[in-house]
Amino acid sequence: MNTYDIATIDGDGIGPEVCQSAIAVLREACGERLRFTAWPGGAAHHARTGAVLPEESFAACRSAHAILHGAAGLPGITYADGTEVGNDLHLQLRFRLDLYANVRPIRLYRGVRSPLAGWEAGGIDYVIVRENTEGLYASRGAGVNLRGEVATDTLVVTRKGVERVARFAFELARRRKGAPRDGRRRVTVCDKANILRSYAFFRAICDEVARGYADVEIDYAYADAITVHMLKKPDFYDVIVAENMFGDIISDLGAGTVGGLGIAASAELGDSHGLFQGAHGSAPDIAGQDLASPLATILSGALMLRWLGERHGDDALVQGAARVERAVEDVLAAGQTVPRDLGGQARCSEITQAVCRQLG
């Protein structure tokens, strides 16, 4: 049976706790088929050495089968332009490894109460696919601050970038079971095509790609309007594809409807590499106190297993991903080991142990 090399970067704050929790769960699910190797990186590492992502860490990530990351960033550790050092770690990995599709599943699990009244497990189940290397964030490190009087950043949309992320979204919709409301496979294009030419271009390319997927509907929503629709009719959505900044914003909104960032998994995928981490931040105020929820990172680990399994034709890993997700849901549904952000009192270590027991 194949084994896989996983590069891990614990990072800052609660990063080490949640990353190690995910590793424990993944080992329980897959035994010794995953070889985890830790590498340095993060804001604290930058403060000590001047490098947020050392070259040896990047080289290890580039050569690994996948990358598992805890979290990065600490208050007060910024670059001269005021941007956060911690964010630069995964941004470097994202751009240097061309991780163009950010995948954020939005799913309401059993045992989790949505802040949206009346919604039950399974009623909210869609995926946001965010273009990850272009859009407004392409200006990272290249914007203009003129004399402290005028600051500009440029929105970049290319045909190649939109085509590949749109194709990724349609392929994903083709593999899913459709929207909870009607079972129809659907890709919703989130943009502001009514205002800006760049977004009209984004939509036009999505339309071109859609012609190759007669079995998947195409739908459209302006970025402002979709924030209302995601609250009032979340069961309508199956896959949403969006430009970088819009995707960033609506992903967190979606997470809020199913329990928050503490349960929000994330995958950043390219043609050859994959980075997996919880969608939350480093939460340094609770670091080292065993108070963090490891669920987002554990569920990100499940995304990693599924991606590796599909990429390498390894059904055992795909099944392992499903087992991890079921174990998390079973633990939450039991109601005895619930993290603080979901209304419980369970500690990070207790949650990790409960999920491992469920897998055993």
Side-chain angles (χ1 to χ4, degrees), residues 150-171:
V150 178
T152 65
D153 288 298
T154 303
L155 176 66
V156 178
V157 177
T158 71
R159 173 169 292 277
K160 175 183 176 180
V162 182
E163 279 182 346
R164 64 185 185 178
V165 78
R167 191 169 294 109
F168 184 101
F170 277 93
E171 289 288 344

Side-chain angles (χ1 to χ4, degrees), residues 259-283:
L261 293 177
I263 199 171
S266 175
E268 301 189 40
L269 307 177
D271 292 333
S272 303
H273 301 91
L275 166 66
F276 303 85
Q277 63 175 352
H280 54 71
S282 62

Side-chain angles (χ1 to χ4, degrees), residues 308-357:
L308 284 170
E310 292 173 350
R311 180 174 171 78
H312 295 279
D314 193 330
D315 290 340
L317 288 193
V318 176
Q319 294 167 12
R323 289 179 60 225
V324 170
E325 291 166 345
R326 282 197 304 270
V328 167
E329 186 163 28
D330 288 345
V331 167
L332 290 171
Q336 298 173 344
T337 316
V338 178
R340 296 189 314 154
D341 60 312
L342 295 180
Q345 296 296 323
R347 293 180 172 272
C348 182
S349 56
E350 294 169 336
I351 298 164
T352 306
Q353 291 164 10
V355 175
C356 286
R357 285 196 300 271

Side-chain angles (χ1 to χ4, degrees), residues 36-184:
F36 296 96
T37 305
W39 296 91
H45 187 79
H46 178 274
R48 292 192 302 269
T49 69
V52 68
L53 179 66
E55 278 303 311
E56 61 269 23
S57 296
F58 173 73
C61 291
R62 183 177 54 197
S63 63
H65 290 100
I67 308 157
L68 182 67
H69 178 39
L74 290 172
I77 301 182
T78 62
Y79 291 120
D81 63 3
T83 58
E84 294 184 8
V85 168
N87 282 337
D88 200 33
L89 187 151
H90 76 269
L91 287 173
Q92 284 194 41
L93 289 169
R94 178 185 300 174
F95 285 96
R96 295 174 73 179
L97 297 178
D98 200 22
L99 307 177
Y100 61 83
N102 188 310
V103 180
R104 289 280 297 272
I106 308 297
R107 175 183 170 192
L108 183 58
Y109 285 91
R110 287 182 296 117
V112 178
R113 183 176 180 179
S114 171
L116 304 181
W119 293 95
E120 298 181 353
I124 304 175
D125 188 354
Y126 59 93
V127 180
I128 297 172
V129 177
R130 162 188 166 194
E131 200 293 314
N132 215 31
T133 61
E134 298 185 349
L136 191 58
Y137 292 176
S139 274
R140 180 186 70 94
V144 174
N145 187 321
L146 184 61
R147 300 185 305 273
E149 297 172 345
V150 178
T152 65
D153 288 298
T154 303
L155 176 66
V156 178
V157 177
T158 71
R159 173 169 292 277
K160 175 183 176 180
V162 182
E163 279 182 346
R164 64 185 185 178
V165 78
R167 191 169 294 109
F168 184 101
F170 277 93
E171 289 288 344
L172 177 60
R174 181 173 273 175
R175 296 195 302 271
R176 285 172 50 83
K177 298 178 181 178
R181 173 177 289 197
D182 53 18
R184 301 180 77 159

